[in-house]
Amino acid sequence: MEKNGNNRKLRVCVATCNRADYSKLAPIMFGIKTEPEFFELDVVVLGSHLIDDYGNTYRMIEQDDFDINTRLHTIVRGEDEAAMVESVGLALVKLPDVLNRLKPDIMIVHGDRFDALALATSAALMNIRILHIEGGEVSGTIDDSIRHAITKLAHYHVCCTRSAEQHLISMCEDHDRILLAGCPSYDKLLSAKNKDYMSIIRMWLGDDVKSKDYIVALQHPVTTDIKHSIKMFELTLDALISFNKRTLVLFPNIDAGSKEMVRVMRKKGIEHHPNFRAVKHVPFDQFIQLVAHAGCMIGNSSCGVREVGAFGTPVINLGTRQIGRETGENVLHVRDADTQDKILQALHLQFGKQYPCSKIYGDGNAVPRILKFLKSIDLQEPLQKKFCFPPVKENISQDIDHILETLSALAVDLGGTNLRVAIVSMKGEIVKKYTQFNPKTYEERINLILQMCVEAASEAVKLNCRILGVGISTGGRVNPREGIVLHSTKLIQEWNSVDLRTPLSDTLHLPVWVDNDGNCAALAERKFGQGKGLENFVTLITGTGIGGGIIHQHELIHGSSFCAAELGHLVVSLDGPDCSCGSHGCIEAYASGMALQREAKKLHDEDLLLVEGMSVPKDEAVGALHLIQAAKLGNVKAQSILRTGECAVLGRSAAGGGPSSARGSHRSQLPSGPALWNCVQGI
């Protein structure tokens, strides 16, 4: 047993409480029994199996040649709500001794019965691993609550449908511990071929009954509305009497209300009526043949909406007990079965029809999957369950470590083309980013900044980020002490003498810092990037325009007129092209995104841009990327333009002459020509 981390066999305890769960557990038990080299099987029988009124169904377990290790009488008679609670309590009292004696590695529990809840509770509290069969399904009544409670106690899950699997995942169960296997009973149902089914029909319904000409009725109390379910059972029996077809009626299960339902049967003389056969129990193999060849099945048993679908037998599902179950087209639901006529009409619609076989609940290969799953269980893994909770907004903690981890700021980047707002952590990580095109007018721009910042601040609350302040990066000349944009380039129109600090601070009630985008880039490099730990460096940023920032002796240099690092507006040629700042021959006029776009358009207009291997769609604007693409493909004109831009950045004439007046003491730390080439590719 290398797979489960042990050199011994896996000791499996299968606990069965009633005839219904045994039909699902028996195929697994047979499978375990066929592999004695891997498994040891202990069988515990309790619940209604051991009650004479419900057929002493433990005998069918013995007939299947299973050794029953333990019989536990756990049912307190009374068939009411209090008796169900007392039965759970009695089982909880008796089970610890059994589990201490057996010491199973894993207990297999099925379904949604109150007996199964006692089993799962005992095993969980005694640190025994639990494998739950049929978790994740949805039906009705108290069964839903019990089934989901067992799911929370169980360590491993075998589910029957894709929807059930998704429900288990939604309930935060570990996906790695969920097996979508199908229903074990379908392994027998889909292979059930009994040529002598007529002898079974005659044995239970009489010699004069033909296939497809009888009804199977199986109805249980609804524990959350006992009075209504008893009334509905009475209406069902009246409808069946009127319908006048031979009917096999099975006694209800042991839930609260069953005693009253039996009284209704006897009051109407069902046990002595010539059209009815009332029985406490039918062996599963024979029951399969009876429902497979019935003209219709009626009631509220899960068998009707699950197993019977394998045969395409028509089913009438009454009331709310199975309201959430997945069903095939063979099932007709009568949710409000409040009149005899409504049930009678359903019988006329369904009786004698034949529907396609449904495989919603299984494909006949569940048991091999379950055995393989059992073998894969690693007993060395921690027993403690881990729940896979989805991300949720946590409560804002006043713990200092938590506060330090969630400190954040709003960053606003006002570029020549785009307006960006981001929530940025103290580690420099972008938590969330918003981008819009930068409007052309002052009023539109300031309104958009306020709108985006308010939206980001609201989102920060949901993300549990504590916003300490706002930092604004913008092109042009900025007075950071006052938070005012003094003068901007033509790239950002109507942006002169603009107070950015006041409206944002008044709206968000936060401190606001404003600075030139090149200076902000230099500060970012000093704290998080390549300038970390350096005493002196220059940052150059390329985009729609060109800017920069200077760090000297670890401090940002603004200059007396707040334009110390306007590197893009250093003049490298007095007779150069016009610049957006109003001057001529600036670096930006040669090497910015706008400059390269301008030159690309010129070449394209003169039919000198495109070379073999490239094209420009008619609806696409010519830009810097096209110029770079042409240069890479060997366009000499495009290469010359880029070379001129490189020389401008390096402070040399395009002809390779000596240093120009633009060369300063920090020139050596500006990017080389190839670096510029790489930068402009992102424009």
Side-chain angles (χ1 to χ4, degrees):
M1 292 295 289
E2 294 180 1
K3 288 186 178 180
N4 65 25
N6 290 273
N7 294 320
R8 59 179 177 79
K9 299 176 184 179
L10 189 72
R11 188 155 192 173
V12 181
C13 175
V14 176
T16 174
C17 310
N18 54 67
R19 66 192 181 197
D21 76 19
Y22 180 67
S23 69
K24 318 292 178 62
L25 294 170
I28 303 173
M29 294 162 64
F30 280 115
I32 290 173
K33 195 173 181 180
T34 60
E35 299 196 35
E37 69 276 19
F38 287 105
F39 304 108
E40 288 184 14
L41 175 64
D42 291 316
V43 179
V44 174
V45 173
L46 63 159
S48 60
H49 272 309
L50 302 170
I51 297 179
D52 181 63
D53 286 352
Y54 293 90
N56 282 325
T57 50
Y58 73 89
R59 293 194 182 106
M60 63 183 179
I61 303 173
E62 294 176 330
Q63 290 167 3
D64 285 337
D65 201 25
F66 289 112
D67 293 328
I68 298 176
N69 183 280
T70 303
R71 294 177 175 83
L72 285 181
H73 292 272
T74 57
I75 297 298
V76 176
R77 300 306 300 272
E79 286 77 20
D80 58 12
E81 296 95 330
M84 291 168 64
V85 177
E86 291 168 357
S87 297
V88 171
L90 183 58
L92 289 172
V93 169
K94 292 187 174 184
L95 279 166
D97 286 342
V98 175
L99 297 179
N100 270 328
R101 175 168 50 83
L102 297 179
K103 292 183 168 51
D105 296 314
I106 189 163
M107 174 179 279
I108 299 180
V109 178
H110 169 271
D112 49 26
R113 308 291 302 137
F114 60 84
D115 321 74
L117 179 61
L119 287 165
T121 302
S122 301
L125 291 174
M126 297 183 71
N127 291 326
I128 296 169
R129 297 169 193 267
I130 303 165
L131 176 69
H132 183 210
I133 310 291
E134 287 188 17
E137 295 186 19
V138 179
S139 56
T141 74
I142 195 64
D143 294 354
D144 263 347
S145 299
I146 293 176
R147 186 187 308 109
H148 301 330
I150 296 173
T151 289
K152 291 293 100 185
L153 293 169
H155 303 85
Y156 307 95
H157 312 274
V158 172
C159 56
C160 302
T161 69
R162 183 73 61 185
S163 294
E165 179 186 38
Q166 292 304 312
H167 291 156
L168 289 171
I169 294 171
S170 299
M171 291 164 68
C172 307
E173 295 299 312
D174 186 348
H175 189 278
D176 291 337
R177 295 191 170 197
I178 300 171
L179 173 67
L180 175 56
C183 183
S185 64
Y186 263 61
D187 290 21
K188 180 173 268 189
L189 297 177
L190 296 177
S191 61
K193 294 180 180 178
N194 190 334
K195 295 181 180 179
D196 192 27
Y197 60 85
M198 282 306 304
S199 64
I200 296 174
I201 295 173
R202 284 193 287 267
M203 180 186 4
W204 292 99
L205 287 151
D207 294 337
D208 57 336
V209 178
K210 298 178 182 179
S211 174
K212 300 295 180 183
D213 197 38
Y214 61 90
I215 297 170
V216 175
L218 178 54
Q219 199 158 334
H220 302 301
V222 178
T223 56
T224 50
D225 194 352
I226 295 173
K227 288 184 179 179
H228 179 70
S229 65
I230 294 169
K231 177 64 177 176
M232 186 169 60
F233 184 54
E234 188 172 359
L235 294 173
T236 302
L237 293 178
D238 288 338
L240 288 169
I241 292 170
S242 299
F243 196 66
N244 197 31
K245 287 289 181 181
R246 192 66 54 84
T247 302
L248 180 71
V249 180
L250 278 82
F251 276 62
N253 65 18
I254 201 167
D255 283 352
S258 61
K259 186 186 295 184
E260 288 82 354
M261 292 180 74
V262 172
R263 288 197 188 104
V264 169
M265 289 174 60
R266 287 172 178 160
K267 177 182 176 183
K268 294 186 178 295
I270 296 300
E271 291 171 293
H272 306 289
H273 195 288
N275 267 350
F276 288 85
R277 299 291 185 270
V279 299
K280 295 177 180 178
H281 168 66
V282 178
F284 186 66
D285 288 345
Q286 297 177 25
F287 183 73
I288 288 175
Q289 300 302 325
L290 289 170
V291 295
H293 298 93
C296 180
M297 181 175 182
I298 188 170
N300 61 7
S301 168
S302 63
C303 174
V305 297
R306 293 170 56 94
E307 281 82 358
V308 178
F311 309 113
T313 301
V315 173
I316 299 171
N317 179 47
L318 301 174
T320 60
R321 191 170 186 267
Q322 308 297 338
I323 195 169
R325 296 276 192 191
E326 298 174 73
T327 61
E329 59 182 293
N330 65 310
V331 179
L332 175 64
H333 298 280
V334 185
R335 305 293 190 201
D336 299 315
D338 49 2
T339 67
Q340 175 186 332
D341 287 344
K342 191 181 290 186
I343 299 172
L344 196 57
Q345 287 174 11
L347 284 165
H348 284 293
L349 284 172
Q350 285 287 78
F351 187 80
K353 284 187 177 180
Q354 183 61 44
Y355 291 92
C357 297
S358 168
K359 293 187 178 181
I360 293 175
Y361 287 94
D363 60 3
N365 296 297
V367 172
R369 296 186 185 112
I370 294 170
L371 296 182
K372 183 178 179 181
F373 188 59
L374 282 168
K375 293 173 188 175
S376 72
I377 292 174
D378 185 358
L379 299 180
Q380 303 305 315
E381 286 184 352
L383 182 67
Q384 177 62 49
K385 282 186 66 169
K386 291 184 179 179
F387 298 103
C388 300
F389 294 109
V392 294
K393 176 189 170 186
E394 297 179 0
N395 293 327
I396 296 177
S397 171
Q398 295 303 316
D399 181 86
I400 184 62
D401 293 328
H402 179 81
I403 291 173
L404 293 175
E405 287 176 4
T406 57
L407 296 180
S408 306
L410 290 185
V412 181
D413 177 28
L414 186 66
T417 305
N418 293 309
L419 174 60
R420 300 180 181 89
V421 175
I423 303 169
V424 182
S425 73
M426 293 296 285
K427 297 178 181 178
E429 298 168 347
I430 296 176
V431 179
K432 189 161 186 178
K433 182 170 71 173
Y434 310 81
T435 302
Q436 298 277 359
F437 286 113
N438 195 349
K440 298 298 182 184
T441 67
Y442 162 80
E443 186 173 345
E444 291 176 323
R445 188 177 300 127
I446 197 71
N447 286 337
L448 183 59
I449 292 173
L450 291 172
Q451 175 189 327
M452 292 176 71
C453 285
V454 169
E455 181 182 347
S458 176
E459 185 69 17
V461 175
K462 298 177 183 177
L463 296 171
N464 201 19
C465 295
R466 294 168 178 258
I467 303 297
L468 299 182
V470 183
I472 302 176
S473 161
T474 180
R477 195 162 61 95
V478 179
N479 180 345
R481 291 192 290 270
E482 303 294 333
I484 295 174
V485 180
L486 300 172
H487 178 265
S488 186
T489 65
K490 294 179 182 178
L491 300 179
I492 308 177
Q493 301 170 20
E494 297 187 21
W495 211 237
N496 299 320
S497 301
V498 176
D499 179 3
L500 281 176
R501 176 177 293 166
T502 301
L504 265 175
S505 182
D506 289 348
T507 301
L508 299 175
H509 305 290
L510 291 170
V512 177
W513 290 266
V514 186
D515 210 333
N516 170 268
D517 50 8
N519 291 336
C520 291
L523 289 172
E525 290 295 335
R526 184 184 71 175
K527 185 169 181 61
F528 301 111
Q530 297 298 315
K532 195 171 184 178
L534 296 181
E535 184 177 1
N536 305 299
F537 66 89
V538 173
T539 299
L540 178 70
I541 58 171
T542 61
T544 308
I546 291 180
I550 300 171
I551 300 293
H552 178 60
Q553 295 181 353
H554 301 293
E555 295 295 331
L556 178 66
I557 303 300
H558 284 97
S560 59
S561 58
F562 309 110
C563 53
E566 284 293 348
L567 303 178
H569 298 291
L570 294 175
V571 176
V572 293
S573 176
L574 295 175
D575 57 351
D578 293 341
C579 182
S580 60
C581 68
S583 188
H584 303 277
C586 298
I587 294 175
E588 191 170 294
Y590 287 103
S592 68
M594 289 192 68
L596 298 181
Q597 183 182 41
R598 180 192 67 224
E599 296 301 322
K601 285 181 178 179
K602 283 183 182 180
L603 287 182
H604 191 55
D605 291 342
E606 297 170 6
D607 291 328
L608 297 174
L609 178 65
L610 301 183
V611 295
E612 185 178 353
M614 70 174 291
S615 62
V616 179
K618 290 183 179 180
D619 58 345
E620 185 175 320
V622 175
L625 286 176
H626 298 108
L627 189 73
I628 294 167
Q629 184 183 6
K632 286 184 174 181
L633 292 173
N635 187 319
V636 176
K637 294 282 188 183
Q639 291 174 349
S640 176
I641 292 169
L642 290 177
R643 193 176 302 113
T644 300
E646 294 171 10
C647 292
V649 171
L650 293 172
R652 295 197 300 263
S653 69
S660 74
S661 59
R663 296 182 67 186
S665 59
H666 299 285
R667 181 199 61 77
S668 62
Q669 296 191 53
L670 291 173
S672 64
L676 173 65
W677 182 293
N678 292 328
C679 287
V680 295
Q681 293 186 63
I683 299 170

